[in-house]
Amino acid sequence: MSDSTQAISVPDRILMGPGPSNCPPSVLAAMAQPTVGHLDPWFIARMNEVQDMLRAVMRTSNRLTLPISATGSAGMETCLVNLIEPGDRCVIGVSGVFGQRMSDIVERAGGELVRVEAPWGEPLDLAAIESALKAAPTKLVAVVHAETSTGVLQPIEEVSRMAREHGALLVVDTVTSLGGHPVLVDEWGIDACYSGTQKCLSVPPGLSPISFSDRAVEALQSRKTKVQSWYLDLNMICSYWGEDRVYHHTAPVNMIYALHEGLRLILEEGLEARWERHRRNHELLKAHLAELGMGLLPKPEYSLWSLNAVTLPEGADDLAARKRMLTTYGLEIGGGLGELKGKIWRVGLMGHNSTERNVTLFSAAAREVLRDEGV
Ligand code: PLP
C-alpha cells in the first residue's frame, strides 16, 4: 500500500500526448511564489499585465479578454452559455470529440442545435456550413480550430466571412492552437475565442483564456434572459476583471502567476518564431515517420503542427506500445478517441515540448517498440 504520509515525488515525464505539455521551469517557479490576496493591488497589476499579454498572444484589441478560472471546457461553456438564449439557432461544426461537446452544451443551454458534420480526419465542408446558414436566421456558428481528437486544422477565414454575411457570431475553439499556430482573433473576425493553458501555452491545466469582440459583448449585454450558469456569467466575472474589482470568486492566484510567466516567455520568443518552431518540428516528425513507413491521418494542408494524428501500422498493439513508451522512456503519447481508438496515436509537439530532441526521442522509441512487437 502507498504511504500517504510521504511527500509526493513526481516521476519524470516527457508529455507528448494531447496535453498537458511540460511546463518551463520558470513557469513552475512562478507558481511556487507566495500566494497573495486576490484583491491585493500588487496582484491586480499582474492581472492587468496578463490581460495585455493575452491580447498580444491572441492578436486582438478586445477589451473583454481574460482567463476563466477553470480548464478549456469551461472556456467553451463560457463562450456558448453567455451568447445563447433559449431558442437561439446555433450551427456547430462537428468532426471530432470537441465539436460534439459544443453540441451538447448548445442543447443544455436551450439553443436550437444544427450540426454540420464532417468525417473524422477531415475539415468541415464550407458549402455545408453556408447552406445551414442560409436555411434560417442563426445566432452563432461555432467551430474547432484545432481538433485534438483528429489532428485537423480548420481554416477559419471563410467560415468567418460566411458568419458575418448571415449576421451570425463566430465562436472558435483554439485550445490546441493558441501559442502554436497563428490565431488572429481580430484579423479573422472571431467574436468569441477560447483556449486552455496546458497545451501550446505550456502552463499547467487550470485556466481558460477567452476573448469577446464588441459584437459579442453587445449580444451579451442585450440578453433578455439570465446567463444559464452562475459561475461562468461574464457580466459578473467582468466586474472583477474590470475597473470595479467586485468579488465574484477567489481567483486562482498562483495559476495567474504561472500564466503571467508562460505568456511572458511566449512574447520573449516572439509569436512568429514560435509558430515557425512548431511548423518546423511537425515537418521533422513527418520526415521521421516516413522513414518508419508511417504517416498522418489528415491531409498535409489540414494537419496540425501541435498535435499529430499518427496512423498506426497494421498489427501494432496500441495499448502495449504506449505503456512501454511510458515505462521505458518516460514518454507519454495519446491514443485515439471514439472511432479512432486503436487506429491512431496522438503525438503532441506543443509549446515548450515542440523540440527537435523530442521528435528524435519519439521516433527512436516508436522504432524500437514497434520492432519488438514484430510490426
Ligand atoms: N477543446 C479542445 C480542442 C481540446 O483539445 C480540449 C482538451 O483537450 C478541450 C476543448 C477541453 O479542455 P480541458 O480538457 O482543458 O477542459
Side-chain angles (χ1 to χ4, degrees):
M1 212 176 91
S2 63
D3 180 357
S4 60
T5 60
Q6 293 285 310
I8 56 164
S9 167
V10 181
D12 193 13
R13 301 279 193 242
I14 297 169
L15 302 177
M16 292 181 71
S21 62
N22 294 92
C23 302
S26 67
V27 167
L28 298 176
M31 255 188 117
Q33 301 267 331
T35 304
V36 297
H38 66 113
L39 292 169
D40 186 305
W42 177 86
F43 180 63
I44 284 169
R46 304 293 81 73
M47 288 168 70
N48 291 340
E49 288 164 3
V50 163
Q51 287 185 287
D52 284 343
M53 290 192 282
L54 270 181
R55 290 186 189 102
V57 170
M58 295 176 119
R59 289 279 165 96
T60 183
S61 56
N62 288 339
R63 214 175 125 69
L64 200 174
T65 302
L66 51 83
I68 294 294
S69 304
T71 65
S73 306
M76 180 189 286
E77 194 144 5
T78 301
C79 289
L80 293 172
V81 300
N82 279 275
L83 295 176
I84 299 171
E85 293 197 72
D88 282 347
R89 188 171 188 269
C90 303
V91 172
I92 309 295
V94 183
S95 55
V97 167
F98 297 100
Q100 282 177 346
R101 282 197 187 174
M102 291 205 281
S103 306
D104 191 6
I105 296 173
V106 168
E107 287 187 319
R108 286 167 192 245
E112 180 197 334
L113 173 65
V114 180
R115 286 164 67 111
V116 173
E117 311 219 18
W120 286 37
E122 290 178 25
L124 298 165
D125 175 10
L126 295 176
I129 297 180
E130 180 130 58
S131 72
L133 282 167
K134 274 187 181 149
T138 301
K139 178 68 169 285
L140 62 84
V141 183
V143 295
V144 180
H145 185 217
E147 203 10 292
T148 324
S149 58
T150 62
V152 169
L153 179 78
Q154 174 64 50
I156 298 299
E157 282 152 297
E158 263 306 283
V159 183
S160 169
R161 186 194 59 72
M162 292 188 291
R164 234 148 248 267
E165 205 174 295
H166 293 277
L169 296 164
L170 176 64
V171 177
V172 180
D173 177 320
T174 65
V175 171
T176 293
S177 50
L178 188 69
H181 279 264
V183 173
L184 313 178
V185 169
D186 287 359
E187 196 178 315
W188 291 349
I190 299 174
D191 292 300
C193 181
Y194 62 90
S195 192
T197 42
Q198 76 273 26
K199 310 249 183 177
C200 300
L201 303 181
S202 288
V203 170
L207 293 175
S208 176
I210 60 153
S211 187
F212 267 42
S213 72
D214 289 347
R215 285 199 328 149
V217 171
E218 215 177 287
L220 171 65
Q221 287 173 345
S222 53
R223 290 179 66 98
K224 293 182 188 66
T225 56
K226 271 190 174 181
V227 174
Q228 177 218 16
S229 161
W230 182 89
Y231 189 69
L232 301 176
D233 184 339
L234 282 173
N235 294 298
M236 290 187 279
I237 293 173
C238 287
S239 297
Y240 172 55
W241 280 87
E243 315 265 282
D244 301 343
R245 304 291 168 187
V246 177
Y247 164 67
H248 173 251
H249 64 276
T250 310
V253 170
N254 295 55
M255 271 303 297
I256 306 277
Y257 301 163
L259 180 59
H260 190 285
E261 176 59 11
L263 294 170
R264 192 194 67 73
L265 289 175
I266 292 174
L267 296 173
E268 185 176 81
E269 178 178 5
L271 269 179
E272 279 89 356
R274 193 173 176 95
W275 299 333
E276 175 54 21
R277 174 165 61 81
H278 281 76
R279 189 199 63 76
R280 209 174 47 239
N281 289 318
H282 161 76
E283 290 300 329
L284 183 65
L285 177 68
K286 277 202 307 189
H288 280 242
L289 288 173
E291 277 175 25
L292 292 170
M294 295 166 83
L296 298 178
L297 176 71
K299 287 199 180 115
E301 62 271 35
Y302 298 115
S303 284
L304 285 170
W305 304 334
S306 47
L307 192 281
N308 299 274
V310 177
T311 46
L312 273 179
E314 197 72 26
D317 183 339
D318 168 34
L319 270 184
R322 285 190 286 123
K323 187 169 171 203
R324 183 138 165 243
M325 285 202 199
L326 190 68
T327 48
T328 309
Y329 297 94
L331 181 61
E332 180 185 282
I333 61 165
L337 296 179
E339 59 189 71
L340 294 174
K341 192 165 179 217
K343 295 185 183 153
I344 60 166
W345 280 338
R346 292 183 301 148
V347 179
L349 289 170
M350 298 180 180
H352 186 59
N353 280 8
S354 173
T355 64
E356 222 177 290
R357 189 198 70 158
N358 283 350
V359 171
T360 310
L361 175 71
F362 164 75
S363 40
R367 182 186 302 275
E368 187 177 297
V369 166
L370 293 174
R371 186 199 57 211
D372 291 354
E373 282 191 358
V375 180

